[in-house]
């Protein structure tokens, strides 16, 4: 019966506010569960629409729906929205008290999902909501996950992520950007204050990493061309590193 109530309430929630309110008034549980113990709020996040536009979303909360309800993966609607990259749903849930610090059974938070999925708009929604940042030692790893998507890197930095390495065992974000030719991410990191001269425990520098990414026995990257704040002198218009003959 609970699954039927869930399906019925989900359909009503996407149809209209009044019919949803009337159904809830008949005693239907606003936290009715469906497949994988998804609540109706979970199901609305999974739908093609948005919690903002679902007319029955607010009545569900007014009737006591738990904005932090967990499904079988230990994932509340907020984490699901982050995993799917639904920026509007993230903003809607955060504005209604969803806890951005919760982690699921895999110990992944909203920041893990937006970084790993390169969900730039979702990351910006978290930044705009001033969502608490992950522990400092986790920030480098999350930047590395997103390094090939400059928009996500920019959003993470705007949220307050450190551009400097926070986990010595991992590659430095600026080195990873240079090594993968992620020029815009590199520019963003440098502008946010990352040191262009940092040397990791293995002795790698920005120059040596970038040079290794473009092997050429007669080519080196001009160290003077690497500038804090960008690489306009080090990169050509296509984003490739400029090299000069030795």
């Amino acid at each position: 019966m609970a699954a039927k109530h869930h399906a019925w309430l989900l359909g009503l929630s996407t149809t209209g506010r009044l019919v949803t309110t009337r159904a809830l008034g008949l005693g239907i549980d606003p936290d009715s569960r469906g497949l994988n113990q998804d609540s109706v709020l979970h199901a609305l996040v999974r739908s093609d629409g948005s919690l903002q536009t679902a007319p029955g979303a607010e009545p569900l909360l007014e009737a006591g729906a738990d904005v932090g309800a967990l499904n079988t993966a230990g994932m509340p609607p907020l984490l699901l929205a982050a995993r799917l990259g639904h920026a509007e749903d993230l903003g809607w849930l955060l504005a209604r008290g969803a806890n951005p610090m919760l982690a699921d059974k895999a110990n992944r938070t909203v920041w893990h999902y937006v970084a790993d999925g390169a969900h730039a708009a979702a990351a910006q929604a978290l930044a705009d909501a001033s969502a608490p940042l992950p522990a400092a030692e986790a920030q480098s790893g999350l930047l590395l996950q997103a390094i090939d998507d400059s928009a996500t890197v920019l959003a993470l930095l705007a949220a307050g992520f450190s551009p400097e390495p926070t986990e010595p065992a991992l590659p430095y974000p600026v080195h990873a950007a240079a090594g993968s030719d992620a020029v815009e991410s590199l520019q963003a990191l440098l502008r946010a204050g990352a040191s262009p001269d940092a040397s990791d425990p293995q002795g790698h520098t920005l120059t040596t990493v970038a040079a290794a990414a473009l092997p050429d026995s007669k080519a080196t990257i001009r160290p003077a061309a690497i500038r804090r704040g960008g690489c306009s002198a080090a990169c050509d218009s296509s984003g490739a590193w400029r090299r000069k003959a030795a």
Side-chain angles (χ1 to χ4, degrees), residues 73-172:
M75 183 177 290
L78 186 74
L79 275 180
L80 180 60
R83 193 189 79 182
L84 297 175
H86 292 182
E88 290 184 353
D89 288 341
L90 277 173
W92 190 94
L93 289 161
L94 288 168
R96 287 155 182 81
N99 184 356
M101 298 300 289
L102 290 178
D104 61 16
K105 289 182 178 179
N107 203 33
R108 293 169 69 80
T109 68
V110 287
W111 293 110
H112 289 90
Y113 282 115
V114 299
D116 191 42
H119 298 311
Q124 189 61 54
L126 293 173
D128 292 344
S130 299
L133 298 178
E137 58 268 22
Q139 293 177 21
S140 281
L142 296 174
L143 282 169
L144 290 173
Q145 289 179 6
I147 204 70
D148 289 324
D149 187 81
S150 61
T152 302
V153 169
L154 280 166
L156 296 177
L157 293 171
F161 275 52
S162 172
E164 296 283 29
T166 60
E167 174 47 72
L170 295 176
Y172 288 8

Side-chain angles (χ1 to χ4, degrees), residues 48-68:
D48 293 334
S50 162
L51 286 169
Q52 281 188 321
T53 57
E58 288 288 359
L60 286 170
L61 293 185
E62 292 166 2
D66 182 4
V67 75

Side-chain angles (χ1 to χ4, degrees), residues 204-231:
H204 300 138
T205 66
L206 183 56
T207 300
T208 61
V209 170
L214 293 172
D216 185 329
S217 61
K218 293 185 177 181
T220 60
I221 298 172
R222 289 173 286 181
I226 300 173
R227 293 282 185 257
R228 184 185 303 273
C231 62

